[in-house]
Amino acid sequence: MSPDFNSGMSEQRVDEWLGLIRRFLQILAARKKLQFSRRVSIGDLLTERGDNAAAYGFGEGTTMYDNVLVLGDVRVGRHTWIGPGCILDGSGGGLQIGDWCSISAGVQIYTHHTVNRSISLGEKPVEYAPTKIGNGVYIGPNAIVQMGVTVGDKAVIGANSFVNRDVPAGAKVFGCPARMRVAEESPFGDVSGDHGVGSSSRASAGAAD
C-alpha cells in the first residue's frame, strides 16, 4: 500500500490501514509485556517515560507516563517517578517537585481552583497560589494536593488523601482532609493520636477542579 492518506479513502483502504495499525500495536504490546510484564495505554507503547519527562525539562532520571496532564510551569527534580493518570498543575504560579519523589497513579497536584468563581457566578476570579513538594516525598495513589500547599522533605501522604494544609518534613498524613498521626506515650503503651497538619495561608479548603 502507498503511504498516502486523504479523506476520500475507500472503506476498504481504511480497513486495511486499521488492520495494519492494530497489528503493529499488538506487536508493541507483546514486546512491552515481555520486557516489563505490564500492559499500558497506546501512548506509552509509542513513547518512553524518560523521554516524556525530558521533553518538559524535568531532572535526570525522572520518568513520567504519557497520559500525565502537565499544565503551566511545572518543575521536577532528579530521579522522581510520576505514575499514570496524574495531573500536575503549574498554571497558578508554579509547581515545584523535588528529587527522588514518588507521585503515584492518579495523584492530582494543583496551583489554582475555581470554587469562588463558580459559586459567585463569575463575580470572583480564579484563585492561584504556588505549590511545593520537597525531596524524597511519597504521595499515595489518588491523593489530591491543593493549591498553596508546601510538603516538606521525606513526608508520606497516604492514598486517597486530600491535603489542604502544609505538611511538615518527615510527617505521615492521610485522610480527607489529611491529618498527621503520631505515637503518644502512655502507661498502657503507645496510643495513636490524630493531629491536623500545619495551616497554610493560601491553601483553600474547597475542592480542586
Side-chain angles (χ1 to χ4, degrees), residues 21-65:
I21 293 169
R22 285 174 173 168
R23 179 55 185 154
F24 180 60
L25 291 175
Q26 289 171 355
I27 293 171
L28 292 179
R31 186 173 72 167
K32 184 72 71 173
K33 181 179 179 182
L34 181 63
Q35 290 176 327
F36 303 107
S37 296
R38 67 179 59 158
R39 183 193 182 280
V40 296
S41 64
I42 291 176
D44 286 299
L45 289 177
L46 300 174
T47 63
E48 294 294 335
R49 289 180 293 164
D51 294 340
N52 294 338
Y56 282 86
F58 297 169
E60 178 184 359
T62 289
T63 62
M64 177 176 69
Y65 277 79

Side-chain angles (χ1 to χ4, degrees), residues 10 13 15 17 26-27 30 37 60 63 68 72 80 93 97 101 111 127 133 143 167 171 179 184 186 193:
S10 68
R13 191 167 181 79
D15 287 341
W17 275 109
Q26 289 171 355
I27 293 171
S37 296
E60 178 184 359
T63 62
V68 173
T80 285
I97 300 174
C101 293
T111 59
E127 296 188 36
I133 310 297
V167 178
R179 296 177 67 85
E184 297 178 347
S186 82

Side-chain angles (χ1 to χ4, degrees), residues 92 111-114 116-117 124-129 147 202 204:
T111 59
H112 86 284
H113 76 65
T114 59
N116 289 329
R117 178 178 180 273
K124 294 184 178 180
V126 176
E127 296 188 36
Y128 303 96
M147 72 172 203
R202 290 179 292 187
S204 168

Side-chain angles (χ1 to χ4, degrees), residues 80-167:
T80 285
W81 180 82
I82 304 168
C86 292
I87 297 175
L88 305 180
D89 165 35
S91 65
L95 168 60
Q96 181 178 340
I97 300 174
D99 302 335
W100 295 102
C101 293
S102 292
I103 313 299
S104 300
V107 165
Q108 302 175 34
I109 308 176
Y110 291 98
T111 59
H112 86 284
H113 76 65
T114 59
V115 176
N116 289 329
R117 178 178 180 273
S118 295
I119 64 177
S120 69
L121 302 181
E123 292 184 3
K124 294 184 178 180
V126 176
E127 296 188 36
Y128 303 96
T131 300
K132 182 178 180 181
I133 310 297
N135 297 319
V137 173
Y138 174 87
I139 304 180
N142 298 315
I144 297 175
V145 180
Q146 182 61 293
M147 72 172 203
V149 165
T150 295
V151 178
D153 294 347
K154 300 182 179 180
V156 174
I157 297 172
N160 299 307
S161 295
F162 175 63
V163 183
N164 62 349
R165 296 289 186 269
D166 290 351
V167 178

